Amino acid sequence: MRAIKGLVLFLGVLLLAGLGVLGYGLYSKAPGKGTPSAIASRVGAPSVAEFGQLAVPIPAGARVEQMVVAGDRVVLRLSGGGPERIVVLDPGLGKVAGGFVLTPEPAVR
């Protein structure tokens, strides 16, 4: 009876140690552990100093209606000063990645 109690105690300690090692392994492999600096370093987020200031050409009289971050791009919606435009910026490269001019479709009769 004493041997069975000893075996149960030993297996319980072994089980707890295994769970502890498993938990430590999962914690140490977690990407960035949620800290903003670790996430930024992992993603390789560019800083403003890498490309300085970017001059984004917009038509005279236009204004930024909306700005959205989509993945690693910044999307601007411009209105006024002509047809509406969408400008896509790449902050990593520090340049305008592309754009769209929104033109009205002719009315269908």
Side-chain angles (χ1 to χ4, degrees):
M1 189 66 168
R2 205 167 195 204
I4 293 175
K5 286 182 184 179
L7 182 62
V8 168
L9 182 64
F10 173 74
L11 290 176
V13 169
L14 190 63
L15 181 66
L16 288 176
L19 286 174
V21 169
L22 179 66
Y24 173 75
L26 289 174
Y27 178 77
S28 65
K29 297 290 183 186
K33 299 181 189 67
T35 60
S37 61
I39 292 172
S41 67
R42 188 180 79 240
V43 173
S47 67
V48 175
E50 288 183 22
F51 62 85
Q53 290 183 334
L54 174 63
V56 179
I58 62 172
R63 66 182 181 278
V64 177
E65 289 291 327
Q66 186 177 19
M67 180 177 69
V68 178
V69 176
D72 61 344
R73 306 291 173 129
V74 176
V75 181
L76 303 176
R77 185 171 61 92
L78 308 174
S79 68
E84 284 199 16
R85 297 175 183 267
I86 296 176
V87 179
V88 181
L89 307 173
D90 186 345
L93 298 177
K95 66 178 189 174
V96 177
F100 305 94
V101 176
L102 305 177
T103 57
E105 193 173 284
V108 178
R109 294 183 191 208

